């Protein structure tokens, strides 16, 4: 599982060599790769259950997929890859599963830090890390510091994240700044809110991928997803790979993004 075993010196061409039937790499417009791709990594548990394995094995397999998608996004030149790893609602899961996930997060981070360093990836976290077990928080904070000077892709991991909690926090921060006289309430605009979200400074996701076929946002990036394109696949996250990612980007490139304006074909 350690990254030194899987690290490769691949280029875009070698990483995406030999696509399976049905994937048309030549159709990919490399000048129109989404700046920010976000993944709702769903279906680890069902993947495992379908194989007679326990849910923990599904999460471990999900980590392998995440690693492949990180490398794929780096090779594609994506600016930001974000991934929903643990929601504010996930605490309701059985304690054993929560504990395993927290342990896996810490272990994965230790294992993958060399990969993130070699790939010049800067890690940021979306969510309230203060509620995490100390070891997980310590490892995350170490990773944050160790990669803070990196200039390549940003990997934004949503851990103990909930969009409503994020918006309530932004409101709290704004109220505190107003009370301290730092901001006039009349000046509170969209930028003022956006700059107090966990994603401050990052572009909004252009493409949100959800695996396992569910058609919901599940309290994820509610503000940032205002104009995101959605790509839903029935594939469970542990089976999601570089080729499915290419499929998602090809679908994105086929969409007509209007941002509330007129259809492109109607513009003369
Ligand atoms: C959803 O599947 C997946 C999760 C709750 C965890 C995803 C986390 C990872 C892949 C690891 C991330 C790594 C780091 C370092 C942050 P599910 O359990 O909801 O599956 P189900 O819907 O089939 O039950």
């Amino acid at each position: 599982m350690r990254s030194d075993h899987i690290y490769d010196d691949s280029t875009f061409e070698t990483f995406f060599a030999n696509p399976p039937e049905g994937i048309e790499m030549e159709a990919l417009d490399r000048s129109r790769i989404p700046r920010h791709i976000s993944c709702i990594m769903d279906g680890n548990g069902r993947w495992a259950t379908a194989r007679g394995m326990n849910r923990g094995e599904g999460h471990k397999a999900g980590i392998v997929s995440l690693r492949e998608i990180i490398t794929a996004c780096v090779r594609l030149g994506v600016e930001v890859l974000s991934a929903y790893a643990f929601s504010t609602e996930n605490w309701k899961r059985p304690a054993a599963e929560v504990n395993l996930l927290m342990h896996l997060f810490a272990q994965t981070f230790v294992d993958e830090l060399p990969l993130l360093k070699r790939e010049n990836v800067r890690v940021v976290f979306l969510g309230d890390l203060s509620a995490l077990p100390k070891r997980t928080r310590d490892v995350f904070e170490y990773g944050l510091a160790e990669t803070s000077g990196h200039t390549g892709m940003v990997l934004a991991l949503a851990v103990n994240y909930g969009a409503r909690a994020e918006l309530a926090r932004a409101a709290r921060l704004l109220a505190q700044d107003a009370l301290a006289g730092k901001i006039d309430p009349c000046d509170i605009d969209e930028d003022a809110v956006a700059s107090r979200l966990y994603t401050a400074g990052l572009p909004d996701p252009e493409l949100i991928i959800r695996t396992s076929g569910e058609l919901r946002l599940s309290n994820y990036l509610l503000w940032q997803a205002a104009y995101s394109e959605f790509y839903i696949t029935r594939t469970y996250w542990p089976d999601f790979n570089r080729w499915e990612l290419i499929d998602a980007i090809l679908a994105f490139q086929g969409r007509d993004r209007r941002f509330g304006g007129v259809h492109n074909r109607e513009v003369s």
Side-chain angles (χ1 to χ4, degrees):
M1 281 267 291
R2 300 182 76 89
S3 58
D4 23 314
H5 297 160
I6 56 91
Y7 176 70
D8 60 81
D9 286 315
S10 62
T11 59
F12 174 88
E13 282 72 23
T14 56
F15 190 82
F16 288 107
N18 308 317
E21 217 178 295
I23 300 290
E24 295 179 33
M25 282 305 288
E26 56 287 353
L28 186 74
D29 180 349
R30 287 183 64 189
S31 68
R32 286 202 303 128
I33 300 297
R35 289 181 68 194
H36 178 170
I37 297 179
S38 197
C39 296
I40 302 179
M41 307 181 288
D42 199 9
N44 292 351
R46 278 165 286 168
W47 181 91
T49 306
R51 284 163 179 74
M53 298 157 113
N54 65 49
R55 294 174 58 82
E57 295 304 314
H59 295 313
K60 288 181 194 162
I63 288 167
V64 177
S65 285
L66 179 58
R67 182 197 297 139
E68 174 164 339
I69 297 308
I70 292 171
T71 309
C73 285
V74 170
R75 298 288 177 273
L76 284 160
V78 170
E79 283 176 44
V80 182
L81 168 67
S82 53
Y84 204 3
F86 194 87
S87 75
T88 45
E89 289 73 34
N90 284 154
W91 296 107
K92 292 182 212 149
R93 293 186 178 207
E97 184 172 347
V98 170
N99 291 341
L100 176 75
L101 276 168
M102 293 299 151
H103 166 74
L104 281 178
F105 291 163
Q107 194 54 48
T108 304
F109 217 76
V110 169
D111 288 348
E112 304 304 331
L113 199 54
L115 170 79
L116 301 175
K117 285 184 170 182
R118 277 183 297 232
E119 297 288 0
N120 195 22
V121 170
R122 178 163 70 91
V123 178
V124 299
F125 288 95
L126 314 178
D128 177 10
L129 298 189
S130 70
L132 304 185
K134 186 171 174 342
R135 173 167 154 72
T136 308
R137 203 173 61 232
D138 286 351
V139 168
F140 281 180
E141 278 165 5
Y142 178 73
L144 263 179
E146 286 286 298
T147 67
S148 64
H150 290 177
T151 53
M153 186 178 82
V154 173
L155 174 65
L157 293 171
V159 182
N160 192 25
Y161 174 87
R164 288 181 173 181
E166 178 185 41
L167 287 164
R169 174 178 172 270
R172 242 178 358 256
L173 295 173
L174 281 166
Q176 283 163 358
D177 283 350
L179 278 174
K182 291 186 195 157
I183 190 167
D184 182 334
C186 299
D187 292 336
I188 295 176
D189 56 8
E190 293 185 14
D191 287 344
V193 177
S195 67
R196 286 160 179 86
L197 300 177
Y198 292 118
T199 49
L202 302 179
D204 287 340
E206 291 186 280
L207 172 62
I208 297 182
I209 297 167
R210 180 160 192 158
T211 55
S212 93
E214 312 291 350
L215 304 172
R216 313 184 266 282
L217 255 182
S218 299
N219 199 16
Y220 187 55
L221 301 182
L222 296 182
W223 173 281
Q224 300 86 339
Y227 285 103
S228 303
E229 294 293 329
F230 287 91
Y231 179 86
I232 313 286
T233 171
R234 296 180 77 87
T235 302
Y236 294 146
W237 177 255
D239 286 331
F240 191 81
N241 60 20
R242 68 193 80 181
W243 307 114
E244 283 247 13
L245 177 69
I246 293 294
D247 240 1
I249 297 174
L250 287 172
F252 168 85
Q253 292 185 342
R255 306 261 177 98
D256 179 20
R257 305 190 74 208
R258 277 172 282 166
F259 301 97
V262 289
H263 199 287
N264 270 342
R265 284 187 291 257
E266 292 167 33
V267 182
S268 53

